Structures are given as C-alpha cells and as structure tokens.
C-alpha cells in the first residue's frame, strides 16, 4: 500500500473509485469555499493558501470567479495540477478538491 504522496496526480485520480468520490462529495456538501479567487487570478499566494487549507482540511472548496468559461476551467485545472490534489467535482464557480494529509483525517470507504 503506497502513500499517496509518492504517486502522480493521474495515479491518484485513478485510485479514487466512484464510491469514494461520492463519499467525498457528501462530506463536501456542507462546506463553504475556503479560498476565493478574485480579479488577480491564480497567484503564488493563492496557491500557497490552497496548499495550507488542503494540509489542514484535506477536502476543500475553492471559488473561482471568472465570467469566461474557458478561463475558469483552465484555472481549476491549474489548481488541481499545482496542488497535487484530486478534483472531486466542480459545480458552477466552485471547485471541490481532496488531498490526503500525511496524517489522514478523512477515512475513505474501502474499494
């Protein structure tokens, strides 16, 4: 059983099955976005903030306020790529991501 930190983003995304994604969606339902992206877009500071939030909570929502659909998608993809997180879902302007901490807080259901 390999720790998630040693795997690539693609390998991690494949590790989460539908049951686990559904479980995370359920947990995320009541969450409010912890990071809001403003007009300055995705900066180093924003990425650092997302990284901190992931370390602390594992499962977070990020609000990406962009009127341009393609731009919003690019920003969301960049967040997932840069943080090494797993995209659980995106609805409207809100991206839900998960990254297991070194000491996991969320117990994922078995496969």
């Amino acid at each position: 059983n390999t720790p998630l930190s040693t795997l690539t983003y693609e390998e991690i995304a494949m590790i989460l099955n539908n049951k686990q994604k559904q479980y995370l969606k359920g947990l995320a339902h009541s969450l409010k976005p912890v990071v809001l992206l403003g007009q300055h877009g995705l900066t180093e500071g924003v990425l650092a903030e997302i990284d901190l939030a992931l370390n602390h909570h594992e499962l977070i929502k990020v609000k990406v306020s962009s009127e341009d659909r393609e731009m919003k998608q690019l920003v969301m993809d960049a967040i997932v790529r840069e943080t090494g997180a797993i995209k659980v879902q995106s609805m409207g302007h809100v991206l839900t991501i998960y990254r297991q901490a070194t000491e996991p807080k969320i117990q994922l259901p078995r496969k």
Side-chain angles (χ1 to χ4, degrees), residues 3-103:
L4 287 178
S5 57
T6 61
L7 302 172
T8 66
Y9 163 70
E10 286 79 13
E11 290 169 328
I12 293 171
M14 287 190 297
I15 288 173
L16 276 188
N17 62 26
N18 283 341
K19 186 175 162 188
Q20 292 167 325
K21 275 193 175 169
Q22 289 301 344
Y23 176 73
L24 288 172
K25 285 178 188 179
L27 290 179
H29 186 73
S30 61
L31 298 179
K32 299 267 179 269
V34 289
V35 180
L36 304 167
L37 256 76
Q39 70 268 23
H40 299 297
L42 192 59
T43 61
E44 289 295 319
V46 171
L47 275 172
E49 200 62 38
I50 293 170
D51 205 52
L52 274 172
L54 278 168
N55 287 339
H56 193 261
H57 302 290
E58 290 186 315
L59 182 68
I60 65 167
K61 286 184 176 177
V62 179
K63 185 166 186 178
V64 181
S65 51
S66 170
E67 293 310 308
D68 182 348
R69 245 195 167 123
E70 279 180 39
M71 191 63 197
K72 183 176 67 179
Q73 194 54 55
L74 287 171
V75 168
M76 287 182 174
D77 290 344
I79 290 170
V80 170
R81 188 178 59 247
E82 296 298 319
T83 59
I86 300 168
K87 176 180 167 183
V88 177
Q89 74 177 355
S90 64
M91 283 173 54
H93 293 277
V94 181
L95 171 70
T96 306
I97 53 178
Y98 167 79
R99 187 177 71 199
Q100 191 176 42
T102 31
E103 291 176 24

